[in-house]
Amino acid sequence: MDATTSETPRVQLHNVSEQVIADLITSSTPTFNRQQRHCYGNATPGEFPLSTNPSTVLHVLTAYNLEPEDLAKLEATCTFFRQPAHFPPDYKLSLSELASLDACQKRAIFKPMMEEERQNLKQQCGGSWKLVLRFLLAGEACTRREKSQAIAGPGHSLAVTSKGVVYSFGSNSSGQLGHGTTEEEWRPCPIRALQGVRIIQAAAGAGRTMLITDRGQVYAFGKDSFGEKEYGGQGSKISTEPQLVESLKDIFVVQAAIGNFFTAVLSREGRVYTFSWGNESKLGHHTEPRDMEPRPLLGALENMPVVQIAAGYCYLLALVCEPTGMSVYSVGCGLGGKLGHGSKIDEKQPRLIEQFRALNLQPMVVAAGAWHAAVVGKDGRVCTWGWGRYGCLGHGNEEAESVPKVVESLSNVKAVNVATGDYTTFVVSDDGDVYSFGCGESSSLGHNDVVADEQGNQHTNVLSPEIVKSLQQLNERVVQISLTNSIYWNAHTFALTKSGKLYAFGAGDKGQLGVDLVDNQTERPNPERVNIDLS
């Protein structure tokens, strides 16, 4: 069995011609007596019409892109889907397993894998192609891999089109825009040095940028190291154009996350590697802080497939696809309770956040703000924890929470995504509405109808989730929110719609909004259309 690699994937049907399929679909002649009820059950296979053409069944299962859970239910309810299908490449695989393998072969990061690598991934995911498919789909869903995306970095911004073209704009003091200069630019400009290279994921940090290609290569520019200026000499050199990260050339990378004092990358096999901040084993390493080589994250995650990573101020979250379900691990600085373990103790190696099991919540998306974190569950519930300053946890107060707590005021909302910044949080619902709460500075929450307080301050903090009416008025379905996650810069926010339109609001003093500010403006309280088509 093989799957093509064209833009419209097709699965080769086994032992059945295209004409036969067409005849099955278009024929107006009944194949059996309409008054006779046919069921499989304990009867002979001949009484189940499709059992005589398992190739047709396999074609349908694959063509309709069924979820792994649906394929598993088919196996659980009917022996026809459990028994060996007797098709290549593995004659012992069931129809559901073959359909899962076909679906895996459509994924960009799975196609180039060698057979041994595929088998290793299968074992790591739990020994089933359905679990491998769940792992691949989960990674695509929570990071928008291979889809258009916007990144609101500290002082500069990135926008990636669905075709993999990257635009950058904003602050450029370290060459982090990748245009070969150090001049600020408010107009979104494509990075011409990457012409012909398809980017599937991007990350922005203070003074630096990382881009991931569809071949797993990593380009970096801006500050020449992955450390911070507090380390003295590091970061003194800059690169104004994209450079391949040689230390990652042997790792097929699918995601990067830039935090404070460290950077993390995720391999296609689900393994996490980190740069620097290894002194005193802060990230499971026994290296010096000046060590710029990527080191695998040790401990509980060594043999677990991670689908998403999120980096905040001195800590890292990892969303893991275990055979029993999805889970979240955290490591690093525990200040404010942002690791989610019920204390403020640092964790030098990844540790499971157990509270989600108590809440009966299966995490699907994680977000790491500077001092707080959030998760969206499969059932649409939102959990937040960490420092609650300015109301960024959405619980109606400014108290800290050291374990994940459900945002009760969103109980009537089914969330599909969440974004966190420096004391700010945004939630996207399944119908495209957006809610925000937390610090109101820089107009980055999007609540342009807020009445000034007694001191005349219009940047009022929001303690509980409020719908962002300024986005609702656009009559556009929002699919992604990105906001600045840094304690060093004023915040700005991007809203990406299903049609590929990008809107920006918040701080724009360095051109990071991608829109022209006039009359000494430094921010935009209302969403402004950025002149890029990301469809």
Side-chain angles (χ1 to χ4, degrees):
M1 177 183 61
D2 69 84
T4 64
T5 57
S6 63
E7 291 185 1
T8 305
R10 296 173 63 245
V11 177
Q12 180 178 337
L13 302 176
H14 301 280
N15 305 323
V16 60
S17 67
E18 294 288 348
Q19 186 58 45
V20 172
I21 290 294
D23 292 342
L24 286 173
I25 295 173
T26 61
S27 174
S28 59
T29 303
T31 58
F32 57 92
N33 188 339
R34 291 182 181 275
Q35 302 302 315
Q36 182 179 354
R37 194 180 279 273
H38 291 262
C39 61
Y40 189 57
N42 296 322
T44 60
E47 290 184 325
F48 182 44
L50 287 180
S51 70
T52 62
N53 270 305
S55 255
T56 307
V57 179
L58 177 57
H59 173 67
V60 172
L61 293 181
T62 304
Y64 282 88
N65 294 318
L66 295 181
E67 294 291 325
E69 293 85 353
D70 298 323
L71 294 169
K73 289 176 182 177
L74 286 175
E75 283 195 347
T77 56
C78 184
T79 57
F80 172 70
F81 293 101
R82 290 199 299 269
Q83 62 192 10
H86 304 295
F87 287 137
D90 187 339
Y91 291 90
K92 296 181 180 179
L93 292 180
S94 66
L95 285 174
S96 296
E97 278 289 276
L98 281 170
S100 299
L101 178 55
D102 276 352
C104 288
Q105 289 174 339
K106 296 179 182 179
R107 322 328 297 182
I109 69 171
F110 188 85
K111 292 176 186 176
M113 296 181 76
M114 304 297 291
E115 182 60 27
E116 182 179 355
E117 294 172 325
R118 292 181 176 185
Q119 291 298 329
N120 289 338
L121 178 59
K122 180 181 178 183
Q123 294 307 312
Q124 186 171 335
C125 289
S128 165
W129 290 119
K130 292 187 291 295
L131 294 177
V132 174
L133 180 59
R134 186 183 67 166
F135 165 74
L136 295 173
L137 293 178
E140 292 176 7
C142 57
T143 63
R144 291 191 61 82
R145 191 165 61 219
E146 299 183 73
K147 295 182 180 180
S148 58
Q149 55 192 268
I151 296 89
H156 75 290
S157 304
L158 306 168
V160 185
T161 72
S162 58
K163 295 182 180 179
V165 178
V166 182
Y167 290 79
S168 61
F169 44 100
S171 177
N172 197 30
S173 58
S174 300
Q176 61 265 42
L177 299 186
H179 300 313
T181 72
T182 56
E183 297 177 1
E184 286 182 9
E185 179 58 71
W186 69 264
R187 296 179 181 83
C189 299
I191 301 178
R192 303 192 184 280
L194 293 175
Q195 187 172 4
V197 178
R198 186 186 179 208
I199 301 301
I200 62 171
Q201 203 266 333
R208 59 192 177 278
T209 301
M210 296 181 74
L211 304 176
I212 315 300
T213 77
D214 59 349
R215 297 183 178 181
Q217 297 173 311
V218 181
Y219 286 90
F221 42 99
K223 291 182 180 179
D224 70 331
S225 75
F226 298 99
E228 293 283 345
K229 61 182 181 181
E230 286 83 354
Y231 284 150
Q234 292 186 7
S236 59
K237 296 180 181 179
I238 63 173
S239 175
T240 60
E241 291 189 345
Q243 304 290 330
L244 278 173
V245 180
E246 290 295 325
S247 59
L248 291 171
K249 64 182 179 181
D250 295 326
I251 303 171
F252 195 111
V253 176
V254 295
Q255 190 199 348
I258 303 176
N260 295 88
F261 302 105
F262 74 100
T263 297
V265 297
L266 178 65
S267 77
R268 67 178 172 185
E269 297 82 14
R271 192 160 198 184
V272 182
Y273 297 80
T274 60
F275 295 85
S276 78
W277 207 45
N279 60 322
E280 300 179 358
S281 304
K282 285 183 178 176
L283 285 177
H285 305 157
H286 297 280
T287 58
E288 295 300 319
R290 294 181 181 275
D291 182 7
M292 291 294 104
E293 293 296 314
R295 305 291 181 182
L297 194 59
L298 304 179
L301 297 182
E302 288 184 65
N303 297 306
M304 289 188 181
V306 176
V307 300
Q308 182 199 357
I309 52 176
Y313 192 86
C314 306
Y315 76 107
L316 180 73
L317 299 179
L319 178 64
V320 181
C321 189
E322 300 187 61
T324 56
M326 307 294 286
S327 57
V328 180
Y329 287 73
S330 62
V331 62
C333 172
L335 194 63
K338 58 182 182 282
L339 295 185
H341 303 306
S343 70
K344 300 178 182 179
I345 300 174
D346 296 351
E347 297 290 340
K348 296 181 179 180
Q349 292 191 346
R351 179 181 170 187
L352 174 68
I353 300 180
E354 299 179 356
Q355 181 67 9
F356 294 118
R357 293 179 179 175
L359 294 172
N360 193 27
L361 183 144
Q362 185 168 178
M364 297 304 291
V365 180
V366 298
W371 304 105
H372 73 293
V375 152
V376 171
K378 187 176 181 179
D379 59 4
R381 285 184 292 169
V382 178
C383 287
T384 59
W385 67 98
W387 265 348
R389 194 176 181 187
Y390 305 120
C392 64
L393 299 185
H395 301 311
N397 54 51
E398 297 188 47
E399 297 178 4
E401 299 289 342
S402 59
V403 295
K405 181 179 179 180
V406 175
V407 181
E408 295 296 342
S409 55
L410 290 174
S411 59
N412 295 324
V413 175
K414 184 175 182 180
V416 294
N417 215 323
V418 64
T420 50
D422 183 16
Y423 298 121
T424 52
T425 306
F426 278 73
V427 173
V428 182
S429 72
D430 63 344
D431 58 7
D433 285 334
V434 178
Y435 299 79
S436 69
F437 43 99
C439 182
E441 290 185 7
S442 306
S443 301
S444 61
L445 291 180
H447 300 304
N448 56 5
D449 57 349
V450 173
V451 180
D453 58 19
E454 295 179 356
Q455 287 74 36
N457 179 21
Q458 293 184 350
H459 298 159
T460 305
N461 302 324
V462 178
L463 303 184
S464 296
E466 293 184 9
I467 196 166
V468 183
K469 296 179 181 178
S470 59
L471 288 175
Q472 194 178 42
Q473 293 165 0
L474 299 174
N475 294 320
E476 289 272 355
R477 185 185 182 92
V478 175
V479 294
Q480 185 214 357
I481 291 287
S482 178
L483 58 154
T484 307
N485 181 11
S486 174
I487 63 173
Y488 300 123
W489 291 85
N490 292 330
H492 68 292
T493 304
F494 285 132
L496 177 63
T497 70
K498 186 177 182 179
S499 63
K501 296 184 180 68
L502 183 63
Y503 294 88
F505 50 97
D509 53 312
K510 296 294 183 180
Q512 63 267 45
L513 292 179
V515 297
D516 191 15
L517 297 182
V518 296
D519 299 329
N520 296 319
Q521 282 184 311
T522 60
E523 59 188 47
R524 292 282 307 186
N526 297 306
E528 183 81 7
R529 173 81 186 276
V530 183
N531 189 25
I532 314 177
D533 182 6
L534 298 182
S535 62

